[in-house]
Amino acid sequence: MQNVIYLLLRRMRLPLIVVIMVYTISITGLALIPGVDDQGSPWHMSLFHAFYFVSFMGTTIGFGEIPYPFTDPQRLWIAFAMYLTVISWLYAIGSLFTLLQDQAFQRVLAYTTFTRAVRKIREPFYLICGLGDAGQLVVRELAADGIRSVVIDRNENRIQALRLENLPVYIPALSADVADSSTLLAGGLDKAQCAGVIALTGDDHVNLTVAISSKLLAPETQVICRAETHDAQANMDSFGTDVIINPFDTFAERFAMMFQSPSMFLVYEWMTSIHESPLREFASPPRGTWVLCGYGRFGKAVQKSLSFKGIQTVIVESDIRTTAAPDGTIEGRGTEAITLYEAGIESAVGVIAGTDDDANNLSIIMTAHDMNNNLFTVARQNMSNNDGIFNAANIDLTMKSGMIIGRRIIDLLTNPLLTDFLRMARTQNEKWANVLVSRMAGILTEQVPETWTLTISNDHTPAVLEAFRKGLAVTLRHIVTDPREVTQSLPCVPLYLRRANQTEQLLPVDDTALQTGDQLLFCGRTHAETHMRWTARNFHALDFICTGSDRPSGAVWRLFSGNGAD
Amino acid sequence: MNLEKVVFAFFIVLSLTLNFGFFIGELDDPNHHNVYELYAALVVSLIATIMKFGDRAHIGAVLLATSLVADLQLIAAVIVWTISEHGTGIGLSPMVMSSIVSLSGGALLANITSVVILVTETVMFRR
């Protein structure tokens, strides 16, 4: 705030001096010019009266000629002073308004408000640089979990759009260049509450700058980065960036998983979808020759993964030299039927439109589909505002970078157990995944499952700890029982258990006895979590589930029922 | 040469001299103290204050403080004068006059402090 006041005062110097000078001249003149009183004898206005008169004249209030009617020389002077004072006031007020609307002043004001809001944060928060699709998703999902973030983006419009969103927590946002380390410090990088820095701008070099500044200025802080080239990725890795996410590699890996184990892909896809998105069935992609249009960063990653799984690809690329496409590449954009024909689209089983232009990608899909309507279609969507047309195009699999990155980060930050679960699940075979998918499908309706973690501790599950103290053995079955109808289970699947001694277990069975310090990962329908937490907090409910008897909880009632022992 | 500093020096010294001119004379004798001199001292002191608005240097901020003190003292003196003359109708009795002059004496002290700081700053300023 200090900065703003200094700027305001400094710029108001001249207007204020002008006002004072004009008043002084007017008042002095009025006091010196002789007048006559009501008796007709000569009279001089006192300084006090002159000040009073000039004050209401200058502000155009005008009470008339007081205390006595003026003489002509006085009127002449007033006529002159009137214009002078009014103009000086307009000048002063005009300068004040100009200053308030000045771009530079507004920027200083925004910066000051931002730093003050950041300084006042008393709980852990994440510093998010870059408010693209991924950034917006992360901010929104973190806010939904009650986690605060601080946002910096170069684009003022995105900051404005964020302000219009009605998020449950206040998000300080600033439009500034994140490559400037003082901006990062203003965003609270060196604060003890800063839990991590997330660099999500579209420019690898800017992300790199953010990562290195953060590692130098706050070495303990976790740094999560987006990188689109392997070069930048290796660079970021070299100075210890904690997590680096390459959207193309991530997608290519997932896509390759589809061939090897469609059920495993489905598990991954369901677990890492956006909350409340519709449940989609994915057809398994056919094996055979695929046509890959666009051999950029996306194309290279996909081609590498596919060839690793032993799947043949025909590459279509318009700029063979700069992309260093391998021999046998068809030259062309892939949007024309002739190029696709040359690539053998009629005998291919699938087409991948992976250029960095959404219109071209859609065109490739449409043209290819016209030529061979049994094709499995995969498209890369670059801009999130093209959601509508991509949905309408009925594409089998759409790759959205922002979504992939955003989702990875949210899972990392809010649900670390999920990452562990997915890592362990990868080592399982297709049959295991099949069983899990059918179990999950049995409890789900039209929406993707929610995932949540339950930690057996005094803070999260006081009822379970109380049961332990009373010598009751609580098993997983008790926790997943519906507290409203004890003969039924809640619509959820326990996925993963981690004990306090770091032993892990996939899909723990219902008879597993719980211990203090256990962390459990569940997936299921939204309301299941609410009921589960209710059981875990309310000893009376848990006791009823465990023992089957509804014991009195009040002291008086216990006394009468003769069961005061507990 | 920094014109801003020179102009400020002009106003702060002028404020001191005008104030001194008003202050000098028999404490309770209205004939020795001219109302226009007090008026001029107040105006010049106000201008000197505004010229230090938004000065972030330490010395600048101290000068702003001392000249604000002078302003307050002079405004108090003007208010006492106005009330005695126009408000209560007592007129410039010796008691009223001496309180006006002693208030301006306080402002004089603040003005002297300003000038001392200004001179110190100028002397220490080397290039």
Side-chain angles (χ1 to χ4, degrees), chain A residues 2-3 5-7 9-10 12-14 16-17 20-21 23-25 27-28 31-32 45-49, chain B residues 4 11 35-36 39-40 43-44 46-57 61 64 82 85-87:
Chain A
Q2 273 208 318
N3 262 331
I5 291 171
Y6 279 121
L7 196 69
L9 288 179
R10 188 174 268 276
M12 285 309 287
R13 275 183 193 171
L14 188 62
L16 287 179
I17 288 178
I20 289 187
M21 295 299 287
Y23 265 58
T24 313
I25 293 169
I27 293 172
T28 315
L32 291 179
M45 213 182 215
S46 75
L47 280 174
F48 168 64
H49 280 133
Chain B
E4 188 189 332
F11 277 103
V35 65
Y36 284 102
Y39 170 60
V43 169
V44 171
L46 280 176
I47 291 177
T49 309
I50 289 172
M51 299 210 54
K52 279 289 143 189
F53 267 12
D55 194 331
R56 303 194 67 175
L64 177 65
T82 313
E85 193 89 317
H86 300 280

Side-chain angles (χ1 to χ4, degrees), chain A residues 415-482:
Chain A
N415 206 346
L417 278 198
L418 183 61
T419 316
D420 288 328
F421 165 74
L422 292 177
R423 175 179 47 75
M424 263 187 105
R426 279 210 88 153
T427 58
Q428 303 294 319
N429 58 20
E430 170 72 3
K431 209 175 131 213
W432 179 90
N434 259 333
V435 173
L436 180 59
V437 166
S438 53
R439 260 186 87 181
M440 278 161 67
I443 55 161
L444 293 176
T445 48
E446 292 93 41
Q447 286 182 351
V448 293
E450 291 286 316
T451 54
W452 68 93
T453 303
L454 189 75
T455 310
I456 308 295
S457 70
N458 218 1
D459 287 345
H460 296 100
T461 61
V464 176
L465 265 77
E466 198 175 338
F468 288 162
R469 277 196 294 278
K470 297 204 160 128
L472 285 172
V474 182
T475 62
L476 190 53
R477 189 194 309 280
H478 297 138
I479 285 291
V480 299
T481 302
D482 191 336

Side-chain angles (χ1 to χ4, degrees), chain B:
Chain B
M1 194 185 83
N2 185 341
L3 192 66
E4 188 189 332
K5 283 196 195 308
V6 175
V7 173
F8 175 71
F10 169 77
F11 277 103
I12 204 80
V13 173
L14 185 61
S15 161
L16 173 66
T17 51
L18 284 169
N19 204 349
F20 181 74
F22 175 78
F23 179 73
I24 200 119
E26 202 61 50
L27 187 66
D28 55 358
D29 187 351
N31 293 327
H32 293 179
H33 307 284
N34 189 315
V35 65
Y36 284 102
E37 207 158 11
L38 179 63
Y39 170 60
L42 175 62
V43 169
V44 171
S45 179
L46 280 176
I47 291 177
T49 309
I50 289 172
M51 299 210 54
K52 279 289 143 189
F53 267 12
D55 194 331
R56 303 194 67 175
H58 183 70
I59 296 244
V62 174
L63 281 172
L64 177 65
T66 52
S67 62
L68 263 178
V69 171
D71 290 348
L72 289 179
Q73 294 265 355
L74 289 173
I75 288 171
V78 166
I79 288 174
V80 171
W81 192 310
T82 313
I83 288 175
S84 68
E85 193 89 317
H86 300 280
T88 60
I90 299 171
L92 293 174
S93 68
M95 199 195 86
V96 171
M97 198 63 229
S98 50
S99 62
I100 292 169
V101 175
S102 55
L103 276 167
S104 84
L108 183 65
L109 213 56
N111 279 335
I112 292 172
T113 319
S114 296
V115 171
V116 168
I117 295 172
L118 186 77
V119 170
T120 320
E121 195 203 2
T122 316
V123 170
M124 285 178 48
F125 187 74
R126 292 191 193 119
R127 193 177 292 173

